[in-house]
Amino acid sequence: MAPQSLPQLLDAHRFSLKESQVVQRLSEVGSQPLGWTSDLRLQNGGHRCEGRVEVNYQGTWGTVNDPDWDLAEAAVVCRQLECGDGVDAPRGAYFGSGVGPIWLSYLSCKGTELNVNDCLRSMFQNYHNADYSHNWDVGVVCSGFVRLVRGDGPCSGQVEVHSGRKWNSVSGGNFTFSSAQVICAELRCGRAVSILVDVPFRESDGQVWAEEFWCAGPEPELRVCPRVPCPGGTCQHSRTVQVVCSVYIEVRLMKNGTSQCEGNLELNISGEWRMLCASHWNMANADVVCRQLGCGVALSIPKGAYFVERDAQIWKAQFHCSGAESSLWNCPVTALGIPDCPHGNMATVICSGNQTHVLLECDSVSEPPGSAASEESAANCSDSRQLRLVDGGGHYAGRVKVLHQGSWGTICDDSWDLNDARVVCAQLGCGEALNATVSAHFGEGSGHIWLDDVNCTGKESHVWQCPSRGWGQHNCRHKEDVGFICSEFLALKTVSEDQECAGWLEVFYNGTWGSVCRSPMEATTLSTICRHLGCGDSGTLDSSVNFREGSRPRWVDGIQCRNTDRSLWQCPSDPWKYNSCRQNDEAYIICAGRRPKSCPTAAPCTDREKLRLSDGDTKCSGRVEVWHNGSWGTVCDDSWSLSEAEVVCQQLGCGSALEALQGAAFGPGNGSIWLDEVRCRGRESSLWACPAKPWGQSNCKHEEDAGLRCSGERTTLPTTTAGIKSGPSLVPGIFSLPGILCLILGTLLFLVLIILVIQLHRWRVERRGGLQGVLALSSFEDALDEAMYEEIDYFVRPKKEDLLRSPEPPAQRTDASSEVYDDAEEVPVPKTFSASPMSKWKVSPENGVNVFQIGSSLHLPTGAAHPGKEDNPWLLQWGKEEPEYDDVELNTPATSTVAFHDVAFKMQ
């Protein structure tokens, strides 16, 4: 028998415990043989695949009462009903208390059964008569037969259906818009707005469903649509399909009860027509509406020009179109915190209609900015220039980009201040300017720099009406791109000391962080919030946490998200208010992706998981990023070299460092700059072991982010034979630049040490004094000087007929020492030149010969021949009482020959 894994053993143990409890309860309430056939249904849920579990017995529907109900039983119920996976198994009458009999008091499944007939159960009887309560009625929440995945939310993405065991992708072959409409309706996602049938199939997507769905449109669910087997098994080789749903279905302009190319704007939202409040309505939005309706271009957006009934249905949302979108549904939208709409403040549009309507270019308007004539002309001209924000994480902050002559460009930060930002905020309908950012605060742009030295008064309607150098005239680079933050800027976070994706929920609004209130916070809202935070697809409220101290705004309450909402900003809610709820009603949420702040993934983690390379062309190259205090940040390139790169490459298992790159070579990062002045030796096991400035302290910008390139995967040696211990492997960084420098310095220090030892030995010998010391030192140095003597002999030895000009016959000379030192001459040594070994003296030239004393050596110029004694009166015999000259070798008294050791002759 194959060994079981730990999860299998735990499941078996759980089931055996539950089975023993069932047996005990069956002995109390009686049992019935297996093999019964029962109908199942789910009641009082939001759709067919969720609700209170009910079974049909003898023609009567009754509930199931089970205090130990869990996902194993829910999975079997969902499978039997063709509702996909079991997502939740609520107890305690979560979907309301049932009525009538309670047919089952216990149901125990492993979770792998095809239907509940195969599970252990109690016998059928009405347990309600035995004092069982409907307060323990059980329910299930199933994923459904169809779902949309890998999109922005549950209402967009790739189509998958559940086979009863696993999810399968749906083929794009013969997939129709009618089938997409059925899917969107089944998922309560409004109407289908687009389908894409040519999506490449990946192996990670699993298998492809072997049937094609041929829906007509009115079917309530995809599973009841006609199905046709794929001809010849072509589904397995086909591409898959993506569907995008939206609650926004249609748009129209109504005037006097008829649809025209002018009037009040109305939206069809989930099948109901509603007027749009004009809280954020501008010409860019109006242009998109006119284009979507085929009504030309927008001419104006007059306020209060058309009649509005007192009981008209109003939709509070803000669209943020750039003006280039093909439909209003493609524009970003915000619904969170939108204030109540005053009566009559409805969005209106007057389009040019189908007739030809030629507008002047606004560039040709000659009236001065701000004048009445200028404003009248602006209302009757076509401005091809546009404005938008990028890289700010929302609609109300970011780098400013201007569209001019068909190209997007940036604005330089020379003279950029709050007055300029106020004009841009007003132009985009973003509220008040909170901050005018400079120095590419939101990253560097690309392309043109259209404006420089912009100097607005704050009252202009467009930023290009402000004084400036002129279009395209500047002396800047993109590191000076401007941006701004408006009062409508929104951000979301959780606050916790040690947890990520869990904590007090806070929203940034009007320049200040504040709490979010928890009423009503249903499952769909929590799922939307967790997806918005990148913390999984589900979440829960934790009401057991004690309310926190301190005073802060409690910005918003009454959030009610829908499946179609891709972010929290799209969810309808109560208006923004400084005190929207009591302090003990602040929301503390726990998302499915909860993790400790010390790790970027689920704990435990090692230093390797806290380090990554981003935006590189391989997995072993890129911008260096580190995890600290719950977020990823970069490393500044100050002191960044191959030593630091070597440590990172080894830590990531990417071999040796090839390049240490500076200046944001892989693009600037974002967030914090966690490390600066990192100084590694190249052999540390982790980047954390290298000295650096304290976390988060740097004087850098993201334009100085450090990067690197590694050689690739570390080479793994073959496993050694059993019983043989492999030797240590070479450290890849040992031949790096620091290693070579250390080797050179070590060698030099060793040579200096040898010289010091020799000098010390010489000094001790000289201190002992006497001829014995001289001879001892001479014998000690013979071995060291032999090569030097030969070198001197090679360079200095002259011809003997030139050297020996003495009138003495050659026979009177001794040849005993000339065999080796034939370049030494018998000369008298003067006593007057006694000097210490470290003395330095020079004798003036005489007969063309210079003599230098350095240490204890005589240096004679090589250009002179050896004169005789009579020609050199300054060369006298040294006395024997002068022991300081340890370079003197005394021959036998008969010869009176003196040989100079370590003497270099240089002829001048």
Side-chain angles (χ1 to χ4, degrees):
M1 180 182 296
Q4 290 182 305
S5 64
L6 181 60
Q8 291 173 328
L9 293 173
L10 291 176
D11 286 343
H13 179 65
R14 180 193 69 82
F15 185 71
S16 63
L17 288 177
K18 197 167 184 180
E19 187 176 14
S20 64
Q21 295 170 353
V22 172
V23 172
Q24 181 178 358
R25 297 221 19 209
L26 291 181
S27 65
E28 298 172 358
V29 301
S31 63
Q32 181 170 328
L34 299 180
W36 60 281
T37 300
S38 175
D39 293 331
L40 283 177
R41 72 180 183 185
L42 302 178
Q43 290 292 104
N44 211 33
H47 53 87
R48 186 186 72 86
C49 291
E50 72 173 20
R52 182 179 59 251
V53 178
E54 295 187 359
V55 297
N56 188 310
Y57 178 66
Q58 293 181 346
T60 304
W61 289 98
T63 63
V64 176
N65 195 299
D66 188 348
D68 297 320
W69 185 260
D70 59 23
L71 276 176
E73 288 76 40
V76 178
V77 171
C78 293
R79 184 175 299 118
Q80 181 172 340
L81 292 174
E82 295 185 0
C83 282
D85 291 331
V87 175
D88 195 12
R91 295 171 292 192
Y94 179 83
F95 292 103
S97 299
V99 293
I102 300 174
W103 285 131
L104 292 175
S105 66
Y106 214 89
L107 186 69
S108 180
C109 305
K110 294 181 179 180
T112 58
E113 296 88 349
L114 293 178
N115 53 62
V116 295
N117 301 343
D118 301 328
C119 300
L120 293 174
R121 61 170 180 81
S122 63
M123 65 180 298
F124 272 107
Q125 68 177 48
N126 188 357
Y127 293 96
H128 192 251
N129 297 331
D131 294 331
Y132 281 74
S133 171
H134 279 294
N135 291 335
W136 285 100
D137 287 347
V138 301
V140 298
V141 177
C142 306
S143 63
F145 173 70
V146 62
R147 69 178 184 181
L148 302 177
V149 296
R150 290 179 284 279
D152 294 330
C155 292
S156 65
Q158 187 172 319
V159 181
E160 289 186 349
V161 294
H162 203 277
S163 65
R165 293 292 184 182
K166 59 184 177 180
W167 290 99
N168 298 267
S169 298
V170 173
S171 169
N174 297 319
F175 191 89
T176 64
F177 205 80
S178 296
S179 298
Q181 295 289 15
V182 171
I183 292 173
C184 291
E186 180 178 353
L187 296 176
R188 296 178 300 166
C189 288
R191 299 281 297 274
V193 294
S194 68
I195 62 172
L196 183 62
V197 296
D198 198 28
V199 181
F201 175 74
R202 303 174 302 178
E203 291 185 4
S204 59
D205 296 337
Q207 293 184 345
V208 178
W209 187 258
E211 296 174 319
E212 294 177 353
F213 293 92
W214 287 13
C215 301
E219 294 88 351
E221 300 175 9
L222 183 66
R223 70 183 185 92
V224 300
C225 291
R227 308 182 194 179
V228 177
C230 294
T234 55
C235 286
Q236 297 299 327
H237 306 287
S238 177
R239 299 198 167 198
T240 59
V241 61
Q242 286 184 349
V243 172
V244 176
C245 309
S246 175
V247 293
Y248 302 107
I249 301 173
E250 296 177 77
V251 61
R252 68 186 182 186
L253 295 175
M254 297 296 293
K255 177 183 177 182
N256 298 328
T258 60
S259 178
Q260 304 179 28
C261 285
E262 66 173 289
N264 291 319
L265 177 65
E266 294 186 2
L267 309 176
N268 188 335
I269 302 173
S270 300
E272 183 179 357
W273 286 100
R274 296 188 181 188
M275 290 186 177
L276 179 67
C277 184
S279 61
H280 187 278
W281 192 245
N282 56 31
M283 286 293 292
N285 297 333
D287 271 330
V288 174
V289 171
C290 293
R291 185 181 304 112
Q292 182 175 352
L293 293 174
C295 287
V297 297
L299 299 180
S300 64
I301 48 174
K303 294 183 179 180
Y306 306 101
F307 175 74
V308 178
E309 294 182 359
R310 178 64 60 178
D311 58 350
Q313 295 292 318
I314 309 299
W315 182 250
K316 298 188 304 180
Q318 296 178 348
F319 290 90
H320 309 276
C321 303
S322 68
E325 294 84 356
S326 59
S327 72
L328 200 61
W329 322 136
N330 296 328
C331 301
V333 61
T334 301
L336 186 74
I338 302 300
D340 293 331
C341 190
H343 179 74
N345 187 27
M346 301 296 110
T348 61
V349 182
I350 297 178
C351 302
S352 62
N354 296 326
Q355 71 273 19
T356 302
H357 195 102
V358 179
L359 298 179
L360 297 174
E361 286 292 325
C362 290
D363 292 339
S364 64
V365 177
S366 59
E367 288 78 6
S371 66
S374 171
E375 293 179 1
E376 182 179 357
S377 299
N380 295 282
C381 67
S382 174
D383 195 347
S384 61
R385 292 169 299 202
Q386 297 174 15
L387 198 67
R388 70 181 182 187
L389 300 176
V390 296
D391 297 338
H395 313 305
Y396 306 105
R399 182 174 65 255
V400 181
K401 298 199 73 175
V402 182
L403 179 65
H404 177 65
Q405 294 180 348
S407 297
W408 288 99
T410 61
I411 301 176
C412 181
D413 63 8
D414 296 341
S415 304
W416 186 256
D417 57 20
L418 270 179
N419 284 334
D420 307 313
R422 287 191 185 102
V423 173
V424 176
C425 282
Q427 185 175 345
L428 292 174
C430 295
E432 294 295 323
L434 299 179
N435 190 7
T437 65
V438 297
S439 300
H441 178 81
F442 293 103
E444 294 184 16
S446 59
H448 297 285
I449 297 177
W450 279 130
L451 295 174
D452 188 16
D453 283 319
V454 177
N455 190 14
C456 301
T457 64
K459 298 180 180 180
E460 295 86 352
S461 60
H462 295 80
V463 69
W464 39 80
Q465 294 176 349
C466 302
S468 69
R469 287 192 174 204
W471 291 101
Q473 302 298 316
H474 66 89
N475 59 353
C476 308
R477 292 188 294 172
H478 280 294
K479 67 179 182 179
E480 302 170 75
D481 288 345
V482 305
F484 68 87
I485 300 174
C486 290
S487 58
E488 300 295 320
F489 174 71
L490 302 175
L492 191 67
K493 69 177 182 180
T494 56
V495 178
S496 174
E497 292 183 358
D498 57 352
Q499 296 288 314
E500 192 74 14
C501 293
W504 299 103
L505 187 64
E506 289 192 356
V507 62
F508 186 88
Y509 173 71
N510 200 28
T512 306
W513 286 100
S515 298
V516 175
C517 302
R518 64 185 184 184
S519 174
M521 283 279 180
E522 295 178 347
T524 302
T525 299
L526 290 168
S527 296
T528 302
I529 291 172
C530 290
R531 282 197 307 270
H532 186 130
L533 292 168
C535 293
D537 293 329
S538 62
T540 57
L541 272 176
D542 189 348
S543 57
S544 65
V545 181
N546 295 328
F547 68 90
R548 55 178 176 163
E549 302 293 337
S551 176
R552 68 196 63 83
R554 292 179 285 277
W555 279 128
V556 65
D557 195 10
I559 303 174
Q560 294 180 307
C561 298
R562 304 149 297 180
N563 284 340
T564 53
D565 296 328
R566 302 180 183 181
S567 71
L568 179 63
W569 315 142
Q570 297 180 3
C571 301
S573 72
D574 295 342
W576 296 109
K577 188 178 178 182
Y578 192 85
N579 288 312
S580 296
C581 62
R582 297 175 301 172
Q583 188 173 10
N584 58 355
D585 286 332
E586 296 178 5
Y588 187 102
I589 69 169
I590 300 174
C591 294
R594 177 177 60 173
R595 58 183 180 269
K597 279 189 175 181
S598 59
C599 291
T601 56
C605 63
T606 64
D607 285 349
R608 179 168 179 171
E609 279 81 40
K610 299 178 186 179
L611 189 66
R612 72 182 183 185
L613 301 177
S614 298
D615 297 335
D617 43 21
T618 67
K619 70 176 183 178
C620 287
S621 66
R623 182 177 59 253
V624 180
E625 296 184 354
V626 295
W627 177 268
H628 177 70
N629 197 28
S631 66
W632 288 101
T634 61
V635 179
C636 183
D637 61 10
D638 294 345
S639 304
W640 188 254
S641 66
L642 275 175
S643 298
E644 290 75 37
E646 181 69 29
V647 173
V648 174
C649 290
Q650 293 297 320
Q651 185 175 341
L652 293 174
C654 283
S656 299
L658 300 179
E659 289 183 278
L661 301 172
Q662 300 180 346
F666 294 98
N670 49 46
S672 301
I673 299 176
W674 282 131
L675 292 175
D676 188 14
E677 296 288 355
V678 182
R679 298 180 183 272
C680 304
R681 293 176 298 173
R683 299 185 181 181
E684 291 84 353
S685 60
S686 168
L687 190 64
W688 324 135
C690 300
K693 283 187 176 182
W695 286 98
Q697 294 187 15
S698 73
N699 57 353
C700 306
K701 297 181 180 179
H702 282 295
E703 288 72 26
E704 303 171 76
D705 286 344
L708 54 81
R709 292 185 190 277
C710 306
S711 61
E713 295 287 346
R714 179 184 295 138
T715 303
T716 303
L717 296 177
T719 306
T720 55
T721 307
I724 300 177
K725 184 177 180 180
S726 59
S729 59
L730 293 176
V731 180
I734 196 171
F735 294 112
S736 61
L737 181 59
I740 295 175
L741 291 176
C742 289
L743 183 62
I744 294 174
L745 290 175
T747 304
L748 291 175
L749 288 175
F750 180 74
L751 293 175
V752 170
L753 182 62
I754 292 177
I755 294 172
L756 290 176
V757 169
I758 293 174
Q759 292 294 338
L760 179 62
H761 181 74
R762 175 179 297 178
W763 178 77
R764 287 181 177 176
V765 171
E766 290 173 351
R767 288 290 299 269
R768 286 193 303 226
L771 179 61
Q772 182 179 359
V774 174
L775 293 175
L777 179 61
S778 177
S779 62
F780 170 76
E781 292 180 332
D782 280 346
L784 297 176
D785 294 340
E786 182 176 353
M788 186 181 297
Y789 299 154
E790 293 176 0
E791 189 76 11
I792 293 172
D793 182 62
Y794 175 79
F795 282 105
V796 178
R797 182 180 302 176
K799 295 181 180 180
K800 289 195 175 183
E801 57 269 20
D802 295 331
L803 180 64
L804 302 177
R805 294 182 179 179
S806 174
E808 298 179 68
Q812 296 179 3
R813 300 176 188 263
T814 177
D815 295 327
S817 62
S818 64
E819 293 177 2
V820 178
Y821 303 116
D822 56 358
D823 55 349
E825 183 178 3
E826 295 176 71
V827 294
V829 180
K831 295 182 180 180
T832 58
F833 291 134
S834 175
S836 65
M838 297 304 296
S839 64
K840 178 177 180 180
W841 44 265
K842 174 180 179 181
V843 181
S844 299
E846 192 169 323
N847 295 330
V849 179
N850 286 346
V851 180
F852 300 85
Q853 171 70 24
I854 299 176
S856 59
S857 300
L858 289 174
H859 297 269
L860 299 173
T862 58
H866 293 280
K869 296 178 185 179
E870 63 275 15
D871 296 328
N872 295 279
W874 53 272
L875 289 176
L876 302 176
Q877 178 72 35
W878 278 340
K880 295 181 181 179
E881 68 275 14
E882 300 290 333
E884 294 90 341
Y885 300 97
D886 54 78
D887 286 337
V888 177
E889 177 181 335
L890 300 179
N891 287 351
T892 59
T895 61
S896 301
T897 302
V898 179
F900 290 91
H901 292 196
D902 295 345
V903 178
F905 297 90
K906 295 185 178 180
M907 309 303 295
Q908 227 177 22

